[in-house]
Amino acid sequence: MRNIISVFIIIVVVVLVIKIDFDKNDSFSNNNVNVEKQWDRIASVIENAWDHFGLLSFQATPDSTIFIEMDETKSELQLRKYLEENVNKTDLNQYNIEITKKSLHEVETESFMMKASDIVYDYLQKNNYHDVDIYVPSIKPTPILKISIPKSSTRSGENIKKELEDVLTSKSTELPNKDISYEIQVIERVDDSTIESEALISDVVEDFQGTENHLIISDTDIFKGNGIYKMTWAQPSDSKDYKFHVTNNTGTNVTVQIQQSSQTQTYNLDANDSTTWVQSAASSGDHTIVVTTSDGRIFKGDVFVSKSDVPLN
């Protein structure tokens, strides 16, 4: 009889543990759904104000900040008043709102230069011009797309400039607002920084390719014009640990997220910095690494992910 009672107690405990786990998962899932619905409600109100307040763009970041760009001739005060009157106060209290004002010409110029930069970058990658670096385009005082080549390069600055000008001319139909004037500027650089960068990457790759490690993502010289890098890998059931490394070569902070199923882990990385993180007791299945710049502009850097056959410290 005592054995029967013990078995009964064990069964009850197991059922309670399973129920609690299900309740936690349901709560987490419901919370994600609520946050998504909350943002949809806010976004709908902002979209309705687009033309009236001369909005140029808006986005929400993982740190619960809403960035809004608007026409400099419109009233920021009136926009904030509109949001306070039309967005549910509970929803609005979950976010910080940052508003910047720009001229329409400035926004059109930025859009043009970013697209031109993307076209040039794709061309350089396609033609294996790995010794040619492209910088974030400058807008003020005049639009400039800056390119650098090593002093030891066999290509001349004039030739590469002419080549890229021809590329952009041939892709003119892909560029917005054809009337914007810009300049391609080619400068020479010393090779030391390139050698140092390549050595650093080599060290990271070597570390990530150890006996017990298997490099599954190795992306170098990333250039994402929209400021978002995203890559997915399948974590096998026989490998519980992995590590990931991000090098941020931009002048702005980035957010690094690991997304798995309905869960998201968030890490922060400073401008011009690099860090390696370790994930232990990882669940099997698809994992996604997402790197996002804080200002929504170009992300330049490197990303490595390595799974391990043994527990990582």
Side-chain angles (χ1 to χ4, degrees):
M1 182 65 179
R2 184 175 301 170
N3 289 339
I4 294 175
I5 293 174
S6 298
V7 171
F8 177 76
I9 292 173
I10 291 172
I11 292 173
V12 170
V13 170
V14 170
V15 170
L16 286 173
V17 169
I18 293 174
K19 185 178 186 305
I20 290 171
D21 188 55
F22 282 157
D23 287 343
K24 284 183 178 178
N25 289 336
D26 287 344
S27 176
F28 187 87
S29 177
N30 289 336
N31 185 55
N32 278 353
V33 170
N34 290 337
V35 169
E36 185 175 343
K37 288 182 177 179
Q38 183 182 71
W39 171 242
D40 286 344
R41 290 193 295 268
I42 296 174
S44 177
V45 172
I46 297 176
E47 286 171 356
N48 290 337
W50 191 275
D51 293 329
H52 183 73
F53 291 100
L55 302 190
L56 304 171
S57 68
F58 71 91
Q59 65 172 332
T61 62
D63 64 352
S64 298
T65 300
I66 298 175
F67 289 99
I68 300 177
E69 286 186 341
M70 65 182 299
D71 186 345
E72 65 180 3
T73 64
K74 301 293 184 177
S75 171
E76 176 183 339
L77 185 62
Q78 290 298 317
L79 173 59
R80 289 188 180 276
K81 182 179 179 182
Y82 165 82
L83 294 175
E84 290 174 0
E85 291 176 349
N86 291 274
V87 177
N88 180 285
K89 283 183 171 49
T90 302
D91 292 347
L92 199 59
N93 289 338
Q94 302 302 312
Y95 292 88
N96 296 315
I97 297 179
E98 293 191 13
I99 299 175
T100 57
K101 303 182 78 172
K102 291 185 176 182
S103 69
L104 292 175
H105 178 70
E106 183 181 353
V107 172
E108 290 174 351
T109 302
E110 285 183 348
S111 177
F112 179 94
M113 293 302 291
M114 294 298 291
K115 183 59 180 177
S117 180
D118 287 344
I119 290 173
V120 168
Y121 176 79
D122 289 342
Y123 176 81
L124 295 175
Q125 294 297 302
K126 182 179 179 181
N127 290 275
N128 297 317
Y129 285 10
H130 298 308
D131 62 338
V132 180
D133 285 345
I134 180 171
Y135 295 78
V136 177
S138 59
I139 309 300
K140 297 178 179 180
T142 58
I144 295 176
L145 187 59
K146 186 182 292 186
I147 308 294
S148 73
I149 58 176
K151 287 185 176 181
S152 59
S153 176
T154 56
R155 306 182 185 92
S156 72
E158 286 299 318
N159 287 344
I160 192 71
K161 178 179 179 180
K162 179 65 167 59
E163 188 175 345
L164 296 179
E165 285 174 345
D166 291 343
V167 169
L168 289 172
T169 299
S170 69
K171 298 280 189 178
S172 61
T173 56
E174 299 179 21
L175 293 168
N177 196 338
K178 317 299 185 297
D179 297 329
I180 292 175
S181 298
Y182 66 96
E183 176 190 355
I184 294 180
Q185 191 178 88
V186 181
I187 61 174
E188 291 185 341
R189 69 176 190 274
V190 294
D191 296 344
D192 292 347
S193 60
T194 303
I195 294 172
E196 181 181 346
S197 175
E198 289 176 352
L200 177 61
I201 291 173
S202 176
D203 290 343
V204 173
V205 171
E206 184 177 349
D207 178 50
F208 272 55
Q209 285 181 325
T211 306
E212 295 86 9
N213 298 325
H214 303 278
L215 190 62
I216 47 181
I217 293 178
S218 178
D219 281 346
T220 60
D221 298 325
I222 299 165
F223 184 101
K224 291 294 183 181
N226 62 355
I228 301 175
Y229 167 89
K230 188 174 184 179
M231 187 64 67
T232 299
W233 79 92
Q235 185 73 16
S237 58
D238 60 351
S239 178
K240 297 300 183 184
D241 292 17
Y242 63 83
K243 54 184 176 180
F244 53 102
H245 174 96
V246 177
T247 298
N248 177 20
N249 291 330
T250 66
T252 184
N253 298 344
V254 299
T255 298
V256 181
Q257 292 185 320
I258 299 295
Q259 300 172 352
Q260 202 277 327
S261 186
S262 58
Q263 301 185 21
T264 299
Q265 293 174 291
T266 302
Y267 310 83
N268 295 311
L269 183 60
D270 291 337
N272 298 306
D273 196 6
S274 63
T275 303
T276 297
W277 294 273
V278 171
Q279 174 64 57
S280 300
S283 56
S284 60
D286 286 346
H287 292 246
T288 301
I289 183 168
V290 183
V291 183
T292 310
T293 56
S294 59
D295 59 3
R297 300 186 183 181
I298 291 175
F299 168 65
K300 293 176 66 177
D302 313 304
V303 174
F304 301 92
V305 177
S306 175
K307 64 184 180 66
S308 178
D309 293 335
V310 298
L312 297 170
N313 295 326

